Amino acid sequence: MDKLVINGGKPLSGTINVSGMKNAAVPILLANIMIEDECIIENLPDISDVNRSLEILEAMGAKVTHLEKGTVKIDSRNIIPCSAPDDLVRKMRASYYVLGAELARFGRSNVASPGGCDFGVRPIDQHIKGFETLGATVSVSDRHIIALTDGGLQGSSVFMDVVSVGATINVMLAAVKANGVTVIENAAREPHIVDTANFLNACGAKISGAGTDVIKITGVSSLHGVTYGIIPDMIEAGTFMVLAAATKGRLKITNVIPKHLESISAKLEEMGATVEEGDESVTVSFTGELSPVNVKTHPYPGFPTDMNPQMCVLMCLANGKSRMMEGVWDNRFRYVEELKRLGADITVTDGKTANVTGTPDSLKGASVRALDLRAGAAMVVAGLAAKGKTEIDDIFHIQRGYENIVGKLQDVGADIKIITVSES
Ligand code: EPU
């Protein structure tokens, strides 16, 4: 059992580098199932969701060779259909991309129901609707999802009832080798959707419109290998931006695409922080008193739901009343009870709005748990801002999405370490 121990209350300053994006790396790795060739994937973060995706590929018969740090070669020629191991698939939400990729290559798929963070009900009806519209027969039980076709998929028009990152990518994967043209309407527009489409196009796919709400895919009969680098992680970058403001420090955050961070930069500036954009960096600094702010999370380009918990920490440190409204997930506020242990004054109404009464310097060190990935990131931000000692349990959630978080934060002056506690 590992835990994080933080002695907080010190400004962080220096340069901190952002790793490749988890939510682009996982679909791009699993899209290799579709490619009967060798690919080299670069800028992969060393995080457990990436390592599990590679384990899934290996267990299915791919040959994975680690080249230099963050770079792997994947030879997917000998992948065996319907062979993704249940225990690995259940550890990770995004393993549902095996479905779209297997349907594309083999015309059939059989995958265990996926795991992941608990934000209440997390349906995959839009993924299934998309596969069925392309001609698959899909059956879902508690434990497995089975999708079958009669000789492959047929391009069609798919209208998404909700804007879903996962369903947009999954239907895009499935459609790449379908017969004819597929149009996805009301598609999600996140940068990781564009990155996955760019990767597939580099492999010979014909996808246009990724990044808008209408994506057109003209089916191709084969894909070939490429060398491809994953884009930087906007949520890791956003977490560091909030951290600079929360600790009244100054962080130059490098290897970012500033355009992806605009909704976060705007809210930080509204609170009184300074955000300077470079070509591939943002520098966030702050001294003085943070102003309260209201935020509502939305699909991209709105304020990201995956920054809700971290931003809420900043609201606790502002002078006055702020509101965080969740517009994507049903139950994203489980972290609030943990923040209260650090002294936060927050009430949640209808499960959708956190009403925060902020007071500068109000947070004090305490023992808390990382309840999910971004909730855990928020505990790190809160612990570094709070005076005194904070201990964070269940840090495996944080390690799913943040590469070398301890080393990176130590390099900018954080007093943070990881300790192993023996279980009694
Ligand atoms: N939804 C449906 N039906 C579906 C799919 C989604 O109703 O078939 C609903 C969901 O219940 C939710 C909304 O649509 O209310 C958005 O869900 P989405 O499908 O976009 O989420 P996801 O693809 O499962 C990804 C990220 C999440 C991130 C969300 C929203 C990955 C692996 N996960 O999840 O990231 O919160 O998009 O941006 O890409 C994280 O990285 O910490 C994380 C949880």
mmCIF file of all heavy atoms in Angstrom, residues 22-24 26-27 49 93-94 96-97 117 119 121-128 162-167 169 188 190 192 235 298-299 305-306 327-330 332 372-374 400, ligand 1:
data_model
loop_
_atom_site.group_PDB
_atom_site.id
_atom_site.type_symbol
_atom_site.label_atom_id
_atom_site.label_comp_id
_atom_site.label_asym_id
_atom_site.label_seq_id
_atom_site.Cartn_x
_atom_site.Cartn_y
_atom_site.Cartn_z
ATOM 1 N N LYS A 22 -3.034 10.779 -21.635
ATOM 2 C CA LYS A 22 -3.629 9.460 -21.348
ATOM 3 C C LYS A 22 -4.798 9.168 -22.282
ATOM 4 O O LYS A 22 -4.873 8.087 -22.871
ATOM 5 C CB LYS A 22 -4.127 9.438 -19.891
ATOM 6 C CG LYS A 22 -5.010 8.266 -19.564
ATOM 7 C CD LYS A 22 -5.428 8.254 -18.106
ATOM 8 C CE LYS A 22 -6.704 9.007 -17.797
ATOM 9 N NZ LYS A 22 -7.954 8.346 -18.160
ATOM 10 N N ASN A 23 -5.712 10.128 -22.405
ATOM 11 C CA ASN A 23 -6.956 9.829 -23.116
ATOM 12 C C ASN A 23 -6.807 9.838 -24.637
ATOM 13 O O ASN A 23 -7.756 9.553 -25.354
ATOM 14 C CB ASN A 23 -8.066 10.784 -22.660
ATOM 15 C CG ASN A 23 -8.481 10.477 -21.223
ATOM 16 O OD1 ASN A 23 -8.173 9.407 -20.690
ATOM 17 N ND2 ASN A 23 -9.164 11.417 -20.587
ATOM 18 N N ALA A 24 -5.595 10.159 -25.123
ATOM 19 C CA ALA A 24 -5.271 9.931 -26.540
ATOM 20 C C ALA A 24 -4.438 8.656 -26.670
ATOM 21 O O ALA A 24 -4.619 7.870 -27.604
ATOM 22 C CB ALA A 24 -4.493 11.114 -27.110
ATOM 23 N N VAL A 26 -4.399 5.883 -24.922
ATOM 24 C CA VAL A 26 -5.104 4.598 -24.787
ATOM 25 C C VAL A 26 -5.854 4.231 -26.083
ATOM 26 O O VAL A 26 -5.662 3.129 -26.606
ATOM 27 C CB VAL A 26 -6.005 4.600 -23.528
ATOM 28 C CG1 VAL A 26 -6.881 3.363 -23.503
ATOM 29 C CG2 VAL A 26 -5.139 4.674 -22.272
ATOM 30 N N PRO A 27 -6.692 5.138 -26.663
ATOM 31 C CA PRO A 27 -7.336 4.726 -27.921
ATOM 32 C C PRO A 27 -6.343 4.486 -29.054
ATOM 33 O O PRO A 27 -6.550 3.585 -29.876
ATOM 34 C CB PRO A 27 -8.287 5.888 -28.249
ATOM 35 C CG PRO A 27 -7.884 7.026 -27.380
ATOM 36 C CD PRO A 27 -7.233 6.429 -26.174
ATOM 37 N N ASP A 49 -2.621 3.163 -16.919
ATOM 38 C CA ASP A 49 -3.587 2.899 -17.993
ATOM 39 C C ASP A 49 -2.885 2.597 -19.323
ATOM 40 O O ASP A 49 -3.371 1.786 -20.117
ATOM 41 C CB ASP A 49 -4.546 4.088 -18.175
ATOM 42 C CG ASP A 49 -5.755 3.978 -17.246
ATOM 43 O OD1 ASP A 49 -5.704 3.172 -16.289
ATOM 44 O OD2 ASP A 49 -6.748 4.704 -17.469
ATOM 45 N N ARG A 93 -11.537 1.720 -17.841
ATOM 46 C CA ARG A 93 -12.739 2.116 -18.572
ATOM 47 C C ARG A 93 -12.538 2.058 -20.096
ATOM 48 O O ARG A 93 -13.350 1.545 -20.843
ATOM 49 C CB ARG A 93 -13.085 3.550 -18.146
ATOM 50 C CG ARG A 93 -14.279 4.117 -18.806
ATOM 51 C CD ARG A 93 -15.512 3.668 -18.083
ATOM 52 N NE ARG A 93 -16.713 4.029 -18.791
ATOM 53 C CZ ARG A 93 -17.839 3.384 -18.646
ATOM 54 N NH1 ARG A 93 -17.936 2.352 -17.841
ATOM 55 N NH2 ARG A 93 -18.901 3.746 -19.309
ATOM 56 N N ALA A 94 -11.411 2.616 -20.537
ATOM 57 C CA ALA A 94 -11.230 2.826 -21.973
ATOM 58 C C ALA A 94 -10.925 1.539 -22.730
ATOM 59 O O ALA A 94 -10.741 1.569 -23.945
ATOM 60 C CB ALA A 94 -10.122 3.842 -22.211
ATOM 61 N N TYR A 96 -12.992 -0.313 -23.554
ATOM 62 C CA TYR A 96 -14.094 -0.494 -24.502
ATOM 63 C C TYR A 96 -13.651 -0.217 -25.942
ATOM 64 O O TYR A 96 -14.338 -0.584 -26.891
ATOM 65 C CB TYR A 96 -15.343 0.309 -24.123
ATOM 66 C CG TYR A 96 -15.182 1.772 -23.790
ATOM 67 C CD1 TYR A 96 -14.373 2.622 -24.525
ATOM 68 C CD2 TYR A 96 -15.901 2.317 -22.733
ATOM 69 C CE1 TYR A 96 -14.255 3.961 -24.226
ATOM 70 C CE2 TYR A 96 -15.796 3.671 -22.412
ATOM 71 C CZ TYR A 96 -14.964 4.484 -23.162
ATOM 72 O OH TYR A 96 -14.851 5.821 -22.861
ATOM 73 N N TYR A 97 -12.487 0.423 -26.136
ATOM 74 C CA TYR A 97 -12.015 0.660 -27.512
ATOM 75 C C TYR A 97 -11.615 -0.630 -28.208
ATOM 76 O O TYR A 97 -11.494 -0.659 -29.436
ATOM 77 C CB TYR A 97 -10.834 1.646 -27.522
ATOM 78 C CG TYR A 97 -11.214 3.045 -27.085
ATOM 79 C CD1 TYR A 97 -10.459 3.728 -26.132
ATOM 80 C CD2 TYR A 97 -12.317 3.693 -27.632
ATOM 81 C CE1 TYR A 97 -10.801 5.010 -25.729
ATOM 82 C CE2 TYR A 97 -12.664 4.974 -27.222
ATOM 83 C CZ TYR A 97 -11.905 5.628 -26.274
ATOM 84 O OH TYR A 97 -12.254 6.898 -25.883
ATOM 85 N N CYS A 117 -13.093 4.896 -13.235
ATOM 86 C CA CYS A 117 -13.514 5.742 -12.105
ATOM 87 C C CYS A 117 -15.031 5.666 -11.908
ATOM 88 O O CYS A 117 -15.777 5.495 -12.871
ATOM 89 C CB CYS A 117 -13.125 7.204 -12.369
ATOM 90 S SG CYS A 117 -11.355 7.477 -12.416
ATOM 91 N N PHE A 119 -18.227 7.532 -11.358
ATOM 92 C CA PHE A 119 -18.938 8.818 -11.333
ATOM 93 C C PHE A 119 -20.442 8.580 -11.416
ATOM 94 O O PHE A 119 -21.162 9.315 -12.064
ATOM 95 C CB PHE A 119 -18.572 9.693 -12.538
ATOM 96 C CG PHE A 119 -17.107 9.875 -12.753
ATOM 97 C CD1 PHE A 119 -16.580 9.782 -14.028
ATOM 98 C CD2 PHE A 119 -16.268 10.152 -11.691
ATOM 99 C CE1 PHE A 119 -15.234 9.965 -14.249
ATOM 100 C CE2 PHE A 119 -14.918 10.333 -11.907
ATOM 101 C CZ PHE A 119 -14.396 10.239 -13.183
ATOM 102 N N VAL A 121 -23.719 6.328 -12.790
ATOM 103 C CA VAL A 121 -24.009 5.469 -13.940
ATOM 104 C C VAL A 121 -23.119 5.894 -15.109
ATOM 105 O O VAL A 121 -23.007 7.073 -15.408
ATOM 106 C CB VAL A 121 -25.494 5.631 -14.353
ATOM 107 C CG1 VAL A 121 -25.861 4.650 -15.446
ATOM 108 C CG2 VAL A 121 -26.397 5.451 -13.148
ATOM 109 N N ARG A 122 -22.456 4.923 -15.731
ATOM 110 C CA ARG A 122 -21.624 5.262 -16.905
ATOM 111 C C ARG A 122 -22.049 4.365 -18.077
ATOM 112 O O ARG A 122 -21.402 3.369 -18.386
ATOM 113 C CB ARG A 122 -20.133 5.079 -16.592
ATOM 114 C CG ARG A 122 -19.629 6.047 -15.529
ATOM 115 C CD ARG A 122 -18.141 5.949 -15.325
ATOM 116 N NE ARG A 122 -17.396 6.553 -16.416
ATOM 117 C CZ ARG A 122 -16.056 6.653 -16.448
ATOM 118 N NH1 ARG A 122 -15.343 6.186 -15.454
ATOM 119 N NH2 ARG A 122 -15.444 7.214 -17.469
ATOM 120 N N PRO A 123 -23.163 4.722 -18.734
ATOM 121 C CA PRO A 123 -23.685 3.857 -19.794
ATOM 122 C C PRO A 123 -22.781 3.851 -21.035
ATOM 123 O O PRO A 123 -21.990 4.776 -21.226
ATOM 124 C CB PRO A 123 -25.043 4.490 -20.131
ATOM 125 C CG PRO A 123 -24.926 5.917 -19.721
ATOM 126 C CD PRO A 123 -23.941 5.963 -18.586
ATOM 127 N N ILE A 124 -22.918 2.804 -21.850
ATOM 128 C CA ILE A 124 -22.217 2.799 -23.150
ATOM 129 C C ILE A 124 -23.228 2.582 -24.280
ATOM 130 O O ILE A 124 -22.899 2.052 -25.333
ATOM 131 C CB ILE A 124 -21.067 1.769 -23.212
ATOM 132 C CG1 ILE A 124 -21.552 0.359 -22.921
ATOM 133 C CG2 ILE A 124 -19.929 2.137 -22.290
ATOM 134 C CD1 ILE A 124 -20.558 -0.696 -23.409
ATOM 135 N N ASP A 125 -24.473 3.038 -24.030
ATOM 136 C CA ASP A 125 -25.533 2.841 -25.025
ATOM 137 C C ASP A 125 -25.212 3.513 -26.359
ATOM 138 O O ASP A 125 -25.591 3.000 -27.416
ATOM 139 C CB ASP A 125 -26.873 3.368 -24.473
ATOM 140 C CG ASP A 125 -26.787 4.834 -24.064
ATOM 141 O OD1 ASP A 125 -25.936 5.172 -23.220
ATOM 142 O OD2 ASP A 125 -27.544 5.654 -24.614
ATOM 143 N N GLN A 126 -24.504 4.640 -26.342
ATOM 144 C CA GLN A 126 -24.215 5.332 -27.608
ATOM 145 C C GLN A 126 -23.159 4.583 -28.431
ATOM 146 O O GLN A 126 -23.187 4.616 -29.662
ATOM 147 C CB GLN A 126 -23.762 6.774 -27.361
ATOM 148 C CG GLN A 126 -24.801 7.635 -26.674
ATOM 149 C CD GLN A 126 -26.115 7.669 -27.447
ATOM 150 O OE1 GLN A 126 -26.154 7.992 -28.634
ATOM 151 N NE2 GLN A 126 -27.193 7.299 -26.770
ATOM 152 N N HIS A 127 -22.243 3.902 -27.749
ATOM 153 C CA HIS A 127 -21.268 3.062 -28.464
ATOM 154 C C HIS A 127 -22.062 1.946 -29.185
ATOM 155 O O HIS A 127 -21.851 1.682 -30.377
ATOM 156 C CB HIS A 127 -20.295 2.377 -27.496
ATOM 157 C CG HIS A 127 -19.520 3.283 -26.599
ATOM 158 N ND1 HIS A 127 -18.146 3.262 -26.529
ATOM 159 C CD2 HIS A 127 -19.902 4.231 -25.699
ATOM 160 C CE1 HIS A 127 -17.725 4.141 -25.623
ATOM 161 N NE2 HIS A 127 -18.777 4.730 -25.113
ATOM 162 N N ILE A 128 -22.961 1.320 -28.409
ATOM 163 C CA ILE A 128 -23.699 0.163 -28.942
ATOM 164 C C ILE A 128 -24.619 0.586 -30.079
ATOM 165 O O ILE A 128 -24.671 -0.056 -31.130
ATOM 166 C CB ILE A 128 -24.477 -0.516 -27.790
ATOM 167 C CG1 ILE A 128 -23.454 -1.144 -26.838
ATOM 168 C CG2 ILE A 128 -25.457 -1.562 -28.308
ATOM 169 C CD1 ILE A 128 -24.000 -1.541 -25.501
ATOM 170 N N VAL A 162 -26.071 11.825 -26.958
ATOM 171 C CA VAL A 162 -25.304 12.666 -26.026
ATOM 172 C C VAL A 162 -23.907 12.840 -26.609
ATOM 173 O O VAL A 162 -23.447 12.006 -27.389
ATOM 174 C CB VAL A 162 -25.175 12.045 -24.612
ATOM 175 C CG1 VAL A 162 -26.504 11.960 -23.899
ATOM 176 C CG2 VAL A 162 -24.512 10.691 -24.660
ATOM 177 N N VAL A 163 -23.271 13.947 -26.244
ATOM 178 C CA VAL A 163 -21.903 14.176 -26.732
ATOM 179 C C VAL A 163 -20.971 13.308 -25.902
ATOM 180 O O VAL A 163 -20.807 13.525 -24.702
ATOM 181 C CB VAL A 163 -21.530 15.667 -26.599
ATOM 182 C CG1 VAL A 163 -20.094 15.897 -27.057
ATOM 183 C CG2 VAL A 163 -22.494 16.526 -27.404
ATOM 184 N N SER A 164 -20.405 12.291 -26.531
ATOM 185 C CA SER A 164 -19.589 11.321 -25.794
ATOM 186 C C SER A 164 -18.231 11.139 -26.468
ATOM 187 O O SER A 164 -18.157 10.818 -27.661
ATOM 188 C CB SER A 164 -20.321 9.969 -25.751
ATOM 189 O OG SER A 164 -19.419 8.917 -25.485
ATOM 190 N N VAL A 165 -17.176 11.347 -25.673
ATOM 191 C CA VAL A 165 -15.818 11.150 -26.186
ATOM 192 C C VAL A 165 -15.635 9.690 -26.611
ATOM 193 O O VAL A 165 -15.213 9.378 -27.725
ATOM 194 C CB VAL A 165 -14.786 11.494 -25.076
ATOM 195 C CG1 VAL A 165 -13.383 11.111 -25.511
ATOM 196 C CG2 VAL A 165 -14.869 12.962 -24.707
ATOM 197 N N GLY A 166 -15.949 8.784 -25.666
ATOM 198 C CA GLY A 166 -15.697 7.361 -25.911
ATOM 199 C C GLY A 166 -16.499 6.837 -27.090
ATOM 200 O O GLY A 166 -15.969 6.112 -27.938
ATOM 201 N N ALA A 167 -17.794 7.197 -27.161
ATOM 202 C CA ALA A 167 -18.628 6.674 -28.251
ATOM 203 C C ALA A 167 -18.158 7.235 -29.592
ATOM 204 O O ALA A 167 -18.121 6.520 -30.604
ATOM 205 C CB ALA A 167 -20.091 7.023 -27.998
ATOM 206 N N ILE A 169 -15.090 8.137 -30.462
ATOM 207 C CA ILE A 169 -13.854 7.451 -30.890
ATOM 208 C C ILE A 169 -14.160 6.003 -31.278
ATOM 209 O O ILE A 169 -13.683 5.504 -32.299
ATOM 210 C CB ILE A 169 -12.783 7.498 -29.775
ATOM 211 C CG1 ILE A 169 -12.302 8.939 -29.559
ATOM 212 C CG2 ILE A 169 -11.594 6.586 -30.120
ATOM 213 C CD1 ILE A 169 -11.224 9.111 -28.499
ATOM 214 N N ALA A 188 -18.296 14.338 -30.298
ATOM 215 C CA ALA A 188 -17.484 15.107 -29.348
ATOM 216 C C ALA A 188 -16.290 15.706 -30.105
ATOM 217 O O ALA A 188 -15.900 15.207 -31.169
ATOM 218 C CB ALA A 188 -17.008 14.206 -28.215
ATOM 219 N N GLU A 190 -13.135 16.781 -28.573
ATOM 220 C CA GLU A 190 -11.920 16.861 -27.743
ATOM 221 C C GLU A 190 -10.649 16.661 -28.580
ATOM 222 O O GLU A 190 -10.645 15.920 -29.571
ATOM 223 C CB GLU A 190 -11.970 15.766 -26.657
ATOM 224 C CG GLU A 190 -12.613 16.165 -25.344
ATOM 225 C CD GLU A 190 -14.112 16.421 -25.428
ATOM 226 O OE1 GLU A 190 -14.710 16.258 -26.507
ATOM 227 O OE2 GLU A 190 -14.691 16.808 -24.398
ATOM 228 N N HIS A 192 -8.226 14.807 -28.060
ATOM 229 C CA HIS A 192 -7.818 13.398 -28.191
ATOM 230 C C HIS A 192 -8.570 12.704 -29.325
ATOM 231 O O HIS A 192 -8.085 11.710 -29.865
ATOM 232 C CB HIS A 192 -7.935 12.600 -26.886
ATOM 233 C CG HIS A 192 -8.898 13.105 -25.872
ATOM 234 N ND1 HIS A 192 -8.860 14.359 -25.359
ATOM 235 C CD2 HIS A 192 -9.924 12.480 -25.250
ATOM 236 C CE1 HIS A 192 -9.832 14.500 -24.463
ATOM 237 N NE2 HIS A 192 -10.488 13.374 -24.398
ATOM 238 N N ILE A 235 -5.013 17.824 -19.347
ATOM 239 C CA ILE A 235 -5.505 17.786 -17.963
ATOM 240 C C ILE A 235 -4.325 17.774 -16.992
ATOM 241 O O ILE A 235 -4.375 18.417 -15.935
ATOM 242 C CB ILE A 235 -6.440 16.577 -17.742
ATOM 243 C CG1 ILE A 235 -7.611 16.601 -18.749
ATOM 244 C CG2 ILE A 235 -6.947 16.549 -16.303
ATOM 245 C CD1 ILE A 235 -8.510 17.836 -18.665
ATOM 246 N N HIS A 298 -18.294 21.397 -19.300
ATOM 247 C CA HIS A 298 -18.962 21.066 -20.574
ATOM 248 C C HIS A 298 -18.015 20.196 -21.391
ATOM 249 O O HIS A 298 -16.806 20.198 -21.149
ATOM 250 C CB HIS A 298 -19.181 22.340 -21.416
ATOM 251 C CG HIS A 298 -20.246 23.244 -20.910
ATOM 252 N ND1 HIS A 298 -21.573 22.986 -21.075
ATOM 253 C CD2 HIS A 298 -20.167 24.427 -20.248
ATOM 254 C CE1 HIS A 298 -22.274 23.974 -20.537
ATOM 255 N NE2 HIS A 298 -21.442 24.849 -20.025
ATOM 256 N N PRO A 299 -18.537 19.519 -22.429
ATOM 257 C CA PRO A 299 -17.613 18.913 -23.400
ATOM 258 C C PRO A 299 -16.730 20.007 -24.031
ATOM 259 O O PRO A 299 -17.092 21.186 -24.022
ATOM 260 C CB PRO A 299 -18.543 18.295 -24.449
ATOM 261 C CG PRO A 299 -19.857 18.115 -23.745
ATOM 262 C CD PRO A 299 -19.947 19.247 -22.752
ATOM 263 N N THR A 305 -14.582 18.638 -17.494
ATOM 264 C CA THR A 305 -15.012 17.953 -16.263
ATOM 265 C C THR A 305 -13.818 17.366 -15.513
ATOM 266 O O THR A 305 -13.838 17.302 -14.286
ATOM 267 C CB THR A 305 -16.046 16.851 -16.587
ATOM 268 O OG1 THR A 305 -16.322 16.130 -15.389
ATOM 269 C CG2 THR A 305 -15.559 15.863 -17.636
ATOM 270 N N ASP A 306 -12.775 16.972 -16.233
ATOM 271 C CA ASP A 306 -11.620 16.360 -15.561
ATOM 272 C C ASP A 306 -10.769 17.385 -14.805
ATOM 273 O O ASP A 306 -9.764 17.029 -14.185
ATOM 274 C CB ASP A 306 -10.761 15.576 -16.571
ATOM 275 C CG ASP A 306 -11.498 14.370 -17.098
ATOM 276 O OD1 ASP A 306 -12.452 13.921 -16.434
ATOM 277 O OD2 ASP A 306 -11.141 13.861 -18.184
ATOM 278 N N GLY A 327 -21.486 19.536 -15.573
ATOM 279 C CA GLY A 327 -22.387 19.383 -16.711
ATOM 280 C C GLY A 327 -22.159 18.111 -17.501
ATOM 281 O O GLY A 327 -22.761 17.939 -18.570
ATOM 282 N N VAL A 328 -21.291 17.219 -17.034
ATOM 283 C CA VAL A 328 -21.012 16.003 -17.815
ATOM 284 C C VAL A 328 -21.403 14.733 -17.047
ATOM 285 O O VAL A 328 -22.176 13.915 -17.551
ATOM 286 C CB VAL A 328 -19.522 15.941 -18.236
ATOM 287 C CG1 VAL A 328 -19.210 14.637 -18.972
ATOM 288 C CG2 VAL A 328 -19.168 17.142 -19.114
ATOM 289 N N TRP A 329 -20.880 14.590 -15.810
ATOM 290 C CA TRP A 329 -21.111 13.341 -15.058
ATOM 291 C C TRP A 329 -22.179 13.524 -13.993
ATOM 292 O O TRP A 329 -22.350 14.616 -13.457
ATOM 293 C CB TRP A 329 -19.801 12.861 -14.401
ATOM 294 C CG TRP A 329 -18.757 12.445 -15.383
ATOM 295 C CD1 TRP A 329 -17.583 13.070 -15.654
ATOM 296 C CD2 TRP A 329 -18.798 11.301 -16.243
ATOM 297 N NE1 TRP A 329 -16.891 12.392 -16.629
ATOM 298 C CE2 TRP A 329 -17.613 11.307 -17.006
ATOM 299 C CE3 TRP A 329 -19.721 10.270 -16.453
ATOM 300 C CZ2 TRP A 329 -17.317 10.322 -17.950
ATOM 301 C CZ3 TRP A 329 -19.431 9.297 -17.394
ATOM 302 C CH2 TRP A 329 -18.251 9.329 -18.124
ATOM 303 N N ASP A 330 -22.856 12.408 -13.649
ATOM 304 C CA ASP A 330 -23.906 12.435 -12.628
ATOM 305 C C ASP A 330 -23.353 12.625 -11.225
ATOM 306 O O ASP A 330 -23.998 13.210 -10.373
ATOM 307 C CB ASP A 330 -24.666 11.092 -12.618
ATOM 308 C CG ASP A 330 -25.640 11.024 -13.751
ATOM 309 O OD1 ASP A 330 -25.966 12.088 -14.288
ATOM 310 O OD2 ASP A 330 -26.054 9.901 -14.109
ATOM 311 N N ARG A 332 -19.854 13.553 -9.662
ATOM 312 C CA ARG A 332 -18.434 13.855 -9.716
ATOM 313 C C ARG A 332 -17.956 14.449 -8.388
ATOM 314 O O ARG A 332 -16.792 14.799 -8.253
ATOM 315 C CB ARG A 332 -18.191 14.841 -10.866
ATOM 316 C CG ARG A 332 -16.735 15.120 -11.117
ATOM 317 C CD ARG A 332 -16.191 14.782 -12.445
ATOM 318 N NE ARG A 332 -14.889 14.169 -12.284
ATOM 319 C CZ ARG A 332 -14.049 13.900 -13.263
ATOM 320 N NH1 ARG A 332 -14.366 14.166 -14.496
ATOM 321 N NH2 ARG A 332 -12.898 13.320 -13.020
ATOM 322 N N ASP A 372 -10.854 8.877 -6.888
ATOM 323 C CA ASP A 372 -10.709 8.541 -8.311
ATOM 324 C C ASP A 372 -9.521 9.348 -8.820
ATOM 325 O O ASP A 372 -8.870 10.060 -8.038
ATOM 326 C CB ASP A 372 -12.006 8.804 -9.108
ATOM 327 C CG ASP A 372 -12.465 10.259 -9.079
ATOM 328 O OD1 ASP A 372 -11.681 11.127 -9.499
ATOM 329 O OD2 ASP A 372 -13.607 10.539 -8.665
ATOM 330 N N LEU A 373 -9.247 9.248 -10.115
ATOM 331 C CA LEU A 373 -8.035 9.869 -10.653
ATOM 332 C C LEU A 373 -7.969 11.381 -10.399
ATOM 333 O O LEU A 373 -7.006 11.889 -9.810
ATOM 334 C CB LEU A 373 -7.964 9.557 -12.155
ATOM 335 C CG LEU A 373 -6.951 10.288 -13.007
ATOM 336 C CD1 LEU A 373 -5.546 10.136 -12.469
ATOM 337 C CD2 LEU A 373 -7.029 9.777 -14.450
ATOM 338 N N ARG A 374 -8.981 12.113 -10.853
ATOM 339 C CA ARG A 374 -8.901 13.587 -10.734
ATOM 340 C C ARG A 374 -9.190 14.037 -9.301
ATOM 341 O O ARG A 374 -8.684 15.083 -8.869
ATOM 342 C CB ARG A 374 -9.842 14.265 -11.726
ATOM 343 C CG ARG A 374 -9.670 13.795 -13.170
ATOM 344 C CD ARG A 374 -8.259 13.956 -13.715
ATOM 345 N NE ARG A 374 -8.130 13.300 -15.024
ATOM 346 C CZ ARG A 374 -6.994 13.159 -15.688
ATOM 347 N NH1 ARG A 374 -5.849 13.594 -15.192
ATOM 348 N NH2 ARG A 374 -6.981 12.554 -16.868
ATOM 349 N N ARG A 400 -2.785 6.127 -12.303
ATOM 350 C CA ARG A 400 -3.397 5.768 -13.592
ATOM 351 C C ARG A 400 -3.190 6.871 -14.620
ATOM 352 O O ARG A 400 -3.244 6.610 -15.822
ATOM 353 C CB ARG A 400 -4.908 5.566 -13.419
ATOM 354 C CG ARG A 400 -5.303 4.231 -12.813
ATOM 355 C CD ARG A 400 -6.811 4.067 -12.850
ATOM 356 N NE ARG A 400 -7.315 4.549 -14.112
ATOM 357 C CZ ARG A 400 -8.381 5.335 -14.267
ATOM 358 N NH1 ARG A 400 -9.077 5.713 -13.238
ATOM 359 N NH2 ARG A 400 -8.753 5.730 -15.465
HETATM 360 N N1 EPU B 1 -22.770 8.772 -21.964
HETATM 361 C C1 EPU B 1 -23.959 8.159 -22.247
HETATM 362 N N2 EPU B 1 -23.937 7.081 -23.092
HETATM 363 C C2 EPU B 1 -22.792 6.619 -23.644
HETATM 364 C C3 EPU B 1 -21.567 7.253 -23.347
HETATM 365 C C4 EPU B 1 -21.595 8.340 -22.490
HETATM 366 O O1 EPU B 1 -25.023 8.552 -21.760
HETATM 367 O O2 EPU B 1 -22.842 5.637 -24.403
HETATM 368 C C5 EPU B 1 -22.776 9.941 -21.067
HETATM 369 C C6 EPU B 1 -21.961 9.708 -19.796
HETATM 370 O O3 EPU B 1 -22.728 9.066 -18.800
HETATM 371 C C7 EPU B 1 -21.539 11.115 -19.425
HETATM 372 C C8 EPU B 1 -21.363 11.790 -20.799
HETATM 373 O O4 EPU B 1 -22.099 11.004 -21.733
HETATM 374 O O5 EPU B 1 -22.574 11.735 -18.728
HETATM 375 C C9 EPU B 1 -19.934 11.934 -21.285
HETATM 376 O O6 EPU B 1 -19.282 10.676 -21.265
HETATM 377 P P1 EPU B 1 -18.090 10.310 -22.264
HETATM 378 O O7 EPU B 1 -18.519 9.126 -23.063
HETATM 379 O O8 EPU B 1 -17.678 11.534 -22.999
HETATM 380 O O9 EPU B 1 -16.964 9.844 -21.273
HETATM 381 P P2 EPU B 1 -15.878 8.720 -21.523
HETATM 382 O O10 EPU B 1 -15.514 8.671 -22.960
HETATM 383 O O11 EPU B 1 -16.300 7.445 -20.873
HETATM 384 C C10 EPU B 1 -13.819 10.261 -21.327
HETATM 385 C C11 EPU B 1 -12.600 10.322 -20.466
HETATM 386 C C12 EPU B 1 -12.973 10.807 -19.079
HETATM 387 C C13 EPU B 1 -13.686 12.155 -19.191
HETATM 388 C C14 EPU B 1 -14.855 12.081 -20.165
HETATM 389 C C15 EPU B 1 -15.493 13.417 -20.448
HETATM 390 C C16 EPU B 1 -11.285 8.561 -21.389
HETATM 391 C C17 EPU B 1 -10.667 7.243 -21.197
HETATM 392 N N3 EPU B 1 -12.024 9.014 -20.383
HETATM 393 O O12 EPU B 1 -14.682 9.317 -20.716
HETATM 394 O O13 EPU B 1 -11.729 10.982 -18.419
HETATM 395 O O14 EPU B 1 -14.160 12.536 -17.920
HETATM 396 O O15 EPU B 1 -14.420 11.549 -21.422
HETATM 397 O O16 EPU B 1 -14.542 14.308 -20.970
HETATM 398 O O17 EPU B 1 -11.090 9.197 -22.417
HETATM 399 C C18 EPU B 1 -10.225 11.015 -16.666
HETATM 400 O O18 EPU B 1 -9.297 11.075 -17.510
HETATM 401 O O19 EPU B 1 -10.047 11.231 -15.446
HETATM 402 C C19 EPU B 1 -11.561 10.675 -17.124
HETATM 403 C C20 EPU B 1 -12.495 10.191 -16.331
#
